[in-house]
Structure formats: C-alpha cells, structure tokens
Amino acid sequence: MTFTLEGPVLEGGLVRLEPLAHRHAAELAEAAEEDRSAYSFTWVPRAAETGAYVDAQLARAATGLVAPYAQISLATGRAVGATAYLEPRAWRGEDRLDAVEVGFTWLASSAQGTGLNTESKFLLFRHAFEQWRVSRLDLKTDARNARSRAAIGKTGARFEGVLRNWSRSWAPGEDGLLRDSAVFSVTEDEWPACRERLEARLRR
C-alpha cells in the first residue's frame, strides 16, 4: 500500500486537532493527571511517562500506520487529550483509502462532557469520509468499558460485535494479556445520517 496515513490539522468551534508533537508533552502530562478514575481500560500515560508516550506514537506514525493527534481546547489553547487515525486499509487500489480506524482517544477529566469529544469525532469522521472518501470507519474499545461503548454509540456508529482476544489489554495490571474488543463502525452509506446526528449534538 502506498497510501501514507497523514492527518492534517482539523479545527472546529471547540477543539483543534494538531498532529502530535513533543511540544504537547508537558500539557498532556498535566491533563492526564487531573483525575484518572475514567482510565481503567484506556492507554493514558502518567505524567512521567508522557515523553515516552509521544515517542511511541511518533514511532507508529513513522510506519505510516498511525496518525496521532493532540486535542487542543480552543477555550484555553492547551492540549487536553489525544486521539488518532490508525489501521488504514486499501483494498481497491494503492492510491486510495478504503477503511480506517479512529482510536487511542483520551481526554482530561475537565474536558470530558464538554462537547470536545463529540466535535473531535465529527472532525475525524468528516475528513475520513469527505476527503479520503473511505467506505468504512472503525472504532474499537475494551468490551468491558461500558462508558466508552456508550460514548461510541452516541456518535451513531453501529455495534457489530465482540472480537475475543483481539488486541493487547491497556488495563492496569494486565500487561502481556489480551482483551476482548467491542467493534463499532460507520459505512459511507451511513455517514450522512451520522453527520446529521453529530451536528445536532453539537448544536445542543
């Protein structure tokens, strides 16, 4: 596949998604330590690990298989979380993208419930469907993560099922173990209705 996954800057009214860089590390370190109670199944670095976290994501980006972002709150101008495109698939030709996943997403406690996550998803989905013209967009989460599953469902993505022992677990104390992954998707035919749903949530 010759398609290289490179995410451009994406900006809305609440959030700007900037390609992840070392300049974001200090603010991400603060964001990650606000309140960690919602991170039971999610890869969120501790403050001292943030530099290594950025290094790891940039190493993935160098392979062309991940496009990591920092989520910047426009209200404060500070990085409040991260997200990414990943797992690009091109089946019908090397110069176009057929499918991609959105993942590696987390937000500071203070940014949760503010609309930033909804707008980030809207920006990422819109670019994937309307610029890259993908046929399918995936989202996955630990099958035990009821909060994440509910949030994904609110985007309009359709639940497809659970893949058992599908990927590594990010849960604390589960290094080296595999997790069951709940899989959701949006197809190109579903995108117009999904877009309307996300836009309506943002207006509210």
Side-chain angles (χ1 to χ4, degrees):
M1 186 179 78
T2 59
F3 182 91
T4 299
L5 193 62
E6 294 178 345
V9 174
L10 301 172
E11 185 167 331
L14 300 172
V15 65
R16 181 172 63 255
L17 302 179
E18 297 179 354
L20 183 67
H22 285 289
R23 68 178 183 277
H24 300 119
E27 292 175 0
L28 289 176
E30 292 185 27
E33 292 294 343
E34 285 185 3
D35 177 357
R36 298 187 62 85
S37 61
Y39 302 151
S40 299
F41 303 105
T42 306
W43 181 31
V44 182
R46 302 300 310 224
E49 301 165 344
T50 308
Y53 168 86
V54 173
D55 285 339
Q57 289 296 70
L58 293 182
R60 290 179 171 91
T63 69
L65 299 179
V66 177
Y69 282 104
Q71 300 193 63
I72 312 298
S73 166
L74 293 182
T76 65
R78 296 178 61 82
V80 294
T83 191
Y85 287 119
L86 62 150
E87 297 294 335
R89 282 100 72 200
W91 299 303
R92 293 178 291 182
E94 294 184 346
D95 60 346
R96 68 161 291 173
L97 190 62
D98 289 303
V100 73
E101 182 176 342
V102 169
F104 288 129
T105 301
W106 62 271
L107 277 173
S109 175
S110 61
Q112 296 172 22
T114 65
L116 265 74
N117 183 56
T118 298
E119 189 172 66
S120 289
K121 292 294 191 295
F122 172 73
L123 295 170
L124 291 164
F125 288 16
R126 183 178 65 182
H127 185 79
F129 283 109
E130 298 181 11
Q131 300 302 317
W132 288 335
R133 306 196 69 79
V134 299
S135 295
R136 171 189 171 93
L137 186 141
D138 303 330
L139 302 103
K140 299 188 187 79
T141 189
D142 192 304
R144 299 168 292 180
N145 193 341
R147 180 173 181 170
S148 178
R149 290 175 66 160
I152 293 172
K154 288 178 182 178
T155 69
R158 181 177 298 184
F159 175 61
E160 294 189 329
V162 174
L163 299 176
R164 296 176 299 165
N165 287 351
W166 181 252
S167 62
R168 66 172 289 182
S169 174
W170 298 105
E174 293 188 357
D175 289 350
L177 299 182
L178 297 175
R179 76 176 195 189
D180 295 347
S181 292
V183 181
F184 296 76
S185 71
V186 181
T187 66
E188 59 184 335
D189 292 337
E190 296 165 343
W191 167 237
C194 178
R195 176 174 178 153
E196 288 183 9
R197 180 172 183 162
L198 288 168
E199 288 176 330
R201 290 188 63 202
L202 289 169
R203 285 194 298 270
R204 291 197 297 270

